[in-house]
Amino acid sequence: MAFKGLEPISYGGREVWPLIEGGKGVSATNSESSGAWAAAGGIGTVSAVNADSYDAEGKIVPQIYDALTRKERHEQLIAYAIDGATEQVKRAHDISGGKGAININVLWEMGGAQQVLEGTLANTKGLVTGVTCGAGMPYKLAEIAAHHGVHYLPIISSARAFRALWKRSYHKVADLMAAVVYEDPWLAGGHNGLSNAEDPLKPEDPYPRVAALRDTMRKEGVAEGVPIVMAGGVWFLREWDDWIDNPELGKIAFQFGTRPLLTEESPIPQGWKDALRDIEPGDVLLHKFSPTGFYSSAVKNDFLFDLIRRSERQIAYSKAEDGARCVQLDAGVRGKNFWVSEEDRAKAREWVAAGYTEGLKTPEETIVFVTPESRDMIRKDQADCMGCLSHCAFSSWKDHDNYTTGRLADPRSFCIQKTLQDIAHGGPVEENLMFAGHAAYRFREDPFYSNNFTPSVKQLVDRILTGD
């Protein structure tokens, strides 16, 4: 008996638990985890973001970008992504044993998202039940789903965002919209959908926001049977007791992103799993260093602290003498067209004396100060860009038109493809971006994980269904 009589839902022609595995970025959710989640009766989610493919011996194929131009490397990336996602879906389907359902997840703001989605779905006919998609405004998601005969589940963070998508596109393919995923922008891991009108430091209660979403859905004529999936901060179902069978909210399902990271089938390396057990409240930071321009949530570690401190070593400048900027900068830069305040010049001299001798310009007419080693790494990473995003602030790449954003590359950011591939394949957890939801500290507190216990996905799903 499931918690509070939680009942299966009909999805893709079969009965499944209303429990969805979050599709976590680069190789953090793959065929093993999603296939096992589906085998346990839920909806498993293969990440179609630069997924791994395998050689004839079953070894992971290294993604090497050796083409000379960014555009050619971008084409290599798309080919890797389609091959990898195709392989992961096929393996997940086999592991599921025909139970549950398999979704795929893409970020609309990833480079070549539409091509990757089209290519993967064309290669996996009959194996994918639905597509979850967020990180942007995926207007074409419904059209792509209709073309391939699959369901779609848009990921949004406000009723306003859903209404815009519905009005522009989704109302034309209403019958294939299987659910709407509400991802809490203050609690979810990875990239978050905070708008400019929302304060990252003032979290809002998800209940009224989801109630407003349901109200919008009803006003737009969305079928009452379309569930809203609560994502972000979900740990114990018993904590959401008043959401289940609630007439105001309608049908509710739940997405689990962080808890499935610590399972036997989770593909993340052991160092990442071990680190999850040590996270304390406040150790996950909502920040805006991502080259996507979105806020995102990651564990505070040396990698993140380096980005924080880099931005703190920053001063504004003018190209000509201007009011308070009345002295020429003589530290960290070459040339005479850097006018700063006397106070900022003193700061720059201190940073240079401390070893941060290289001044790098940003798109906002500021200068950040870094070590020569950091400067060399930043420039190499920018030069090696393979176009993993539709728009990249770090490298100024754009995946269409003239392939540039037209803005100065931003040294305050980082190559997200490089760091996510590295941590997912065994790189040092302190030296890479480690995504996690803000509830990750609960691994320390939840007795289920005591004595270093790591559950199988089946054990986790069974545990979740009890309310814990």
mmCIF file of all heavy atoms in Angstrom, residues 188-205:
data_model
loop_
_atom_site.group_PDB
_atom_site.id
_atom_site.type_symbol
_atom_site.label_atom_id
_atom_site.label_comp_id
_atom_site.label_asym_id
_atom_site.label_seq_id
_atom_site.Cartn_x
_atom_site.Cartn_y
_atom_site.Cartn_z
ATOM 1 N N ALA A 188 15.540 23.475 -6.512
ATOM 2 C CA ALA A 188 16.016 22.447 -7.440
ATOM 3 C C ALA A 188 17.521 22.560 -7.664
ATOM 4 O O ALA A 188 18.110 23.634 -7.543
ATOM 5 C CB ALA A 188 15.278 22.559 -8.769
ATOM 6 N N GLY A 189 18.121 21.440 -8.022
ATOM 7 C CA GLY A 189 19.520 21.443 -8.402
ATOM 8 C C GLY A 189 19.673 21.800 -9.868
ATOM 9 O O GLY A 189 18.710 21.837 -10.628
ATOM 10 N N GLY A 190 20.903 22.072 -10.285
ATOM 11 C CA GLY A 190 21.148 22.409 -11.678
ATOM 12 C C GLY A 190 20.617 23.786 -12.022
ATOM 13 O O GLY A 190 20.489 24.664 -11.165
ATOM 14 N N HIS A 191 20.274 23.988 -13.285
ATOM 15 C CA HIS A 191 19.813 25.301 -13.741
ATOM 16 C C HIS A 191 18.376 25.562 -13.302
ATOM 17 O O HIS A 191 17.528 24.679 -13.367
ATOM 18 C CB HIS A 191 19.948 25.406 -15.257
ATOM 19 C CG HIS A 191 21.375 25.485 -15.698
ATOM 20 N ND1 HIS A 191 22.056 24.405 -16.215
ATOM 21 C CD2 HIS A 191 22.269 26.512 -15.671
ATOM 22 C CE1 HIS A 191 23.295 24.762 -16.497
ATOM 23 N NE2 HIS A 191 23.450 26.034 -16.178
ATOM 24 N N ASN A 192 18.135 26.785 -12.879
ATOM 25 C CA ASN A 192 16.856 27.159 -12.289
ATOM 26 C C ASN A 192 16.200 28.285 -13.073
ATOM 27 O O ASN A 192 16.884 29.112 -13.678
ATOM 28 C CB ASN A 192 17.048 27.608 -10.835
ATOM 29 C CG ASN A 192 17.796 26.582 -10.007
ATOM 30 O OD1 ASN A 192 18.971 26.367 -10.212
ATOM 31 N ND2 ASN A 192 17.129 25.949 -9.082
ATOM 32 N N GLY A 193 14.867 28.323 -13.011
ATOM 33 C CA GLY A 193 14.125 29.276 -13.823
ATOM 34 C C GLY A 193 13.723 30.545 -13.109
ATOM 35 O O GLY A 193 12.595 31.011 -13.265
ATOM 36 N N LEU A 194 14.616 31.123 -12.329
ATOM 37 C CA LEU A 194 14.305 32.395 -11.677
ATOM 38 C C LEU A 194 14.149 33.491 -12.724
ATOM 39 O O LEU A 194 14.977 33.625 -13.629
ATOM 40 C CB LEU A 194 15.422 32.794 -10.716
ATOM 41 C CG LEU A 194 15.375 32.237 -9.295
ATOM 42 C CD1 LEU A 194 16.663 32.578 -8.574
ATOM 43 C CD2 LEU A 194 14.192 32.796 -8.527
ATOM 44 N N SER A 195 13.094 34.276 -12.581
ATOM 45 C CA SER A 195 12.908 35.415 -13.487
ATOM 46 C C SER A 195 13.530 36.653 -12.867
ATOM 47 O O SER A 195 13.898 36.672 -11.688
ATOM 48 C CB SER A 195 11.413 35.647 -13.732
ATOM 49 O OG SER A 195 10.806 36.208 -12.576
ATOM 50 N N ASN A 196 13.628 37.714 -13.664
ATOM 51 C CA ASN A 196 14.197 38.963 -13.161
ATOM 52 C C ASN A 196 13.335 39.584 -12.068
ATOM 53 O O ASN A 196 13.814 40.409 -11.297
ATOM 54 C CB ASN A 196 14.375 39.959 -14.308
ATOM 55 C CG ASN A 196 15.426 39.510 -15.302
ATOM 56 O OD1 ASN A 196 16.365 38.803 -14.938
ATOM 57 N ND2 ASN A 196 15.275 39.902 -16.556
ATOM 58 N N ALA A 197 12.066 39.171 -12.004
ATOM 59 C CA ALA A 197 11.162 39.743 -11.009
ATOM 60 C C ALA A 197 11.257 39.028 -9.665
ATOM 61 O O ALA A 197 10.655 39.467 -8.686
ATOM 62 C CB ALA A 197 9.721 39.680 -11.520
ATOM 63 N N GLU A 198 12.011 37.930 -9.623
ATOM 64 C CA GLU A 198 12.092 37.126 -8.397
ATOM 65 C C GLU A 198 13.450 37.284 -7.734
ATOM 66 O O GLU A 198 14.475 37.403 -8.419
ATOM 67 C CB GLU A 198 11.817 35.655 -8.730
ATOM 68 C CG GLU A 198 10.376 35.430 -9.160
ATOM 69 C CD GLU A 198 10.178 34.147 -9.956
ATOM 70 O OE1 GLU A 198 11.157 33.637 -10.535
ATOM 71 O OE2 GLU A 198 9.027 33.672 -10.016
ATOM 72 N N ASP A 199 13.449 37.291 -6.414
ATOM 73 C CA ASP A 199 14.655 37.518 -5.632
ATOM 74 C C ASP A 199 15.293 36.179 -5.289
ATOM 75 O O ASP A 199 14.676 35.356 -4.606
ATOM 76 C CB ASP A 199 14.308 38.279 -4.350
ATOM 77 C CG ASP A 199 15.545 38.747 -3.586
ATOM 78 O OD1 ASP A 199 16.616 38.142 -3.771
ATOM 79 O OD2 ASP A 199 15.426 39.699 -2.808
ATOM 80 N N PRO A 200 16.537 35.934 -5.730
ATOM 81 C CA PRO A 200 17.173 34.661 -5.420
ATOM 82 C C PRO A 200 17.384 34.440 -3.928
ATOM 83 O O PRO A 200 17.534 33.293 -3.477
ATOM 84 C CB PRO A 200 18.521 34.743 -6.155
ATOM 85 C CG PRO A 200 18.755 36.192 -6.377
ATOM 86 C CD PRO A 200 17.400 36.804 -6.550
ATOM 87 N N LEU A 201 17.366 35.510 -3.162
ATOM 88 C CA LEU A 201 17.584 35.391 -1.719
ATOM 89 C C LEU A 201 16.287 35.306 -0.924
ATOM 90 O O LEU A 201 16.314 35.204 0.303
ATOM 91 C CB LEU A 201 18.405 36.598 -1.224
ATOM 92 C CG LEU A 201 19.790 36.762 -1.863
ATOM 93 C CD1 LEU A 201 20.478 38.016 -1.329
ATOM 94 C CD2 LEU A 201 20.650 35.526 -1.631
ATOM 95 N N LYS A 202 15.147 35.336 -1.610
ATOM 96 C CA LYS A 202 13.857 35.276 -0.916
ATOM 97 C C LYS A 202 12.995 34.161 -1.505
ATOM 98 O O LYS A 202 12.152 34.399 -2.383
ATOM 99 C CB LYS A 202 13.128 36.619 -1.014
ATOM 100 C CG LYS A 202 13.845 37.751 -0.276
ATOM 101 C CD LYS A 202 13.071 39.059 -0.379
ATOM 102 C CE LYS A 202 13.790 40.168 0.370
ATOM 103 N NZ LYS A 202 13.061 41.473 0.255
ATOM 104 N N PRO A 203 13.221 32.925 -1.044
ATOM 105 C CA PRO A 203 12.441 31.795 -1.560
ATOM 106 C C PRO A 203 10.950 31.976 -1.316
ATOM 107 O O PRO A 203 10.536 32.511 -0.277
ATOM 108 C CB PRO A 203 12.979 30.599 -0.757
ATOM 109 C CG PRO A 203 14.294 31.048 -0.212
ATOM 110 C CD PRO A 203 14.183 32.522 -0.014
ATOM 111 N N GLU A 204 10.147 31.538 -2.268
ATOM 112 C CA GLU A 204 8.696 31.612 -2.138
ATOM 113 C C GLU A 204 8.122 30.217 -1.929
ATOM 114 O O GLU A 204 8.641 29.227 -2.463
ATOM 115 C CB GLU A 204 8.087 32.255 -3.390
ATOM 116 C CG GLU A 204 8.509 33.699 -3.586
ATOM 117 C CD GLU A 204 7.896 34.326 -4.829
ATOM 118 O OE1 GLU A 204 6.926 33.737 -5.378
ATOM 119 O OE2 GLU A 204 8.378 35.383 -5.259
ATOM 120 N N ASP A 205 7.072 30.139 -1.164
ATOM 121 C CA ASP A 205 6.382 28.883 -0.902
ATOM 122 C C ASP A 205 5.863 28.316 -2.224
ATOM 123 O O ASP A 205 5.180 29.016 -2.983
ATOM 124 C CB ASP A 205 5.216 29.177 0.054
ATOM 125 C CG ASP A 205 4.409 27.928 0.416
ATOM 126 O OD1 ASP A 205 4.710 26.838 -0.115
ATOM 127 O OD2 ASP A 205 3.473 28.056 1.226
#
